[in-house]
């Protein structure tokens, strides 16, 4: 069977953390044969500050030049280091509208967003995370600011309440073939009360089971770091995950993670 060529769209504010986000994306793209595009959008009011038409045109031109130079300074070293091409687009306009246009043009399989600890759901200054999760059918990757996927070590993958559909996902199967480590399965036990335990369910999986209490996400985050998970998969269509506050997950997990499935209104409501 022919390997899928994934299209990956990075939505960036060009903050200090953009370099790590791009490295995460480039690392993933290199493993799966992905094609990367980066989009940065500025609101018109942030660019045009003069009433005079000539001055306004000059401001737009200066902004395009300086922003393009900033993007190239970020992208070029990563392209060279990882050996992957990254196409870049800078636009001035309504953020959501420009993102929708780019999605229609590029047809991404994966959209990459950065993680913001202080305000975990307000990406790009306009609650873009909720917009993407409400309208985009593909995978959403929340890229960590603290670690890079497979950073010169054997790839370690994990799942949060992994479902059968998730285990059959082509991307996961593709990445599993590149890892010699067992898959790490993190579960919140809603059946009976159990303490944290590690149980190999087969040769390729290790389970970590958590009690369904208020600090379960905090405990899980700690174990993700201790077990050196590079990338965590979460199926948002799974009934168990539908009850998880995604805002807490986005804000507290320190590893890059992929959100799969068509998101439900219950999940989007948790982002309010």
């Amino acid at each position: 069977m022919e390997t899928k060529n994934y299209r990956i769209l990075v939505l960036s504010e060009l903050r200090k953390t953009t370099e790590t986000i791009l490295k995460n994306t480039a690392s993933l793209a290199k493993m799966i044969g992905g094609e990367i595009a980066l989009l940065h959008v500025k609101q018109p009011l942030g660019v045009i500050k003069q009433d005079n038409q000539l001055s306004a045109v000059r401001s737009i031109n200066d902004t395009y030049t300086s922003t393009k130079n900033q993007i190239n300074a970020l992208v070029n070293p990563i392209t060279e280091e990882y050996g992957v091409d990254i196409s870049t687009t800078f636009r001035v306009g309504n953020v959501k509208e420009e993102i929708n246009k780019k999605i229609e043009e590029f047809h991404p399989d994966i959209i990459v967003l950065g993680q913001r600890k202080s305000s975990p759901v307000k990406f790009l200054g306009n609650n873009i995370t909720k917009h993407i999760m409400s309208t985009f059918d593909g995978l959403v990757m929340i890229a960590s600011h603290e670690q890079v996927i497979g950073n010169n070590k054997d790839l370690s993958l994990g799942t949060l309440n992994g479902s059968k559909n998730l285990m059959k996902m082509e991307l996961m199967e593709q990445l599993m073939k590149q890892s010699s480590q067992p898959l790490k399965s993190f579960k919140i036990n809603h059946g009976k009360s159990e303490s944290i335990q590690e149980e190999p369910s087969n040769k390729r999986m290790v389970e970590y089971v958590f009690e369904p209490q208020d600090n379960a996400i905090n405990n899980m985050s700690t174990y993700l770091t201790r077990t050196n998970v590079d990338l965590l998969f979460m199926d948002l269509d799974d009934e168990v995950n539908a009850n998880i506050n995604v805002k807490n997950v986005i804000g507290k997990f320190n590893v890059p993670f992929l959100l799969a499935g068509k998101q439900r209104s219950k999940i989007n409501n948790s982002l309010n």
Side-chain angles (χ1 to χ4, degrees), residues 43-98:
Q43 295 277 12
L45 289 176
V47 176
I48 303 172
K49 299 178 181 179
Q50 297 89 359
D51 293 331
N52 180 279
Q53 185 176 359
L54 183 61
S55 297
V57 171
R58 187 180 297 116
S59 293
I60 292 174
N61 291 336
D62 289 346
T63 299
Y64 267 97
T65 300
S66 61
T67 304
K68 279 301 219 180
N69 289 338
Q70 183 184 2
I71 291 172
N72 288 336
L74 278 166
V75 167
N76 291 343
I78 294 172
T79 295
E80 184 175 348
E81 179 182 353
Y82 287 87
V84 296
D85 292 329
I86 303 175
S87 65
T88 63
T89 303
F90 166 53
R91 292 173 178 169
V92 176
N94 179 276
V95 176
K96 289 182 181 179
E97 289 180 2
E98 294 301 331

Side-chain angles (χ1 to χ4, degrees), residues 210-228:
F210 297 80
E211 293 182 5
Q213 44 192 324
D214 292 340
N215 61 345
I217 296 298
N218 287 336
N219 292 338
M220 198 174 294
S221 178
T222 300
Y223 269 71
L224 284 167
T225 302
R226 286 182 184 177
T227 56
N228 299 313

Side-chain angles (χ1 to χ4, degrees), residues 153-183:
K153 64 182 188 299
D154 190 15
L155 183 66
S156 176
L157 301 173
T159 65
L160 176 57
N161 295 319
S163 64
K164 291 181 179 179
N165 289 336
L166 192 64
M167 299 304 294
K168 294 178 182 178
M169 185 188 300
E170 183 180 350
L171 178 62
M172 173 169 278
E173 291 179 348
Q174 198 169 333
L175 290 171
M176 282 292 291
K177 291 177 182 178
Q178 301 184 44
S179 174
S180 64
Q181 295 195 38
L183 178 68

Side-chain angles (χ1 to χ4, degrees), residues 22-37:
L22 283 173
K23 285 183 176 181
N24 270 300
T25 307
S27 180
L28 178 64
K30 191 171 182 179
M31 286 185 253
I32 63 177
E35 175 184 352
I36 304 173

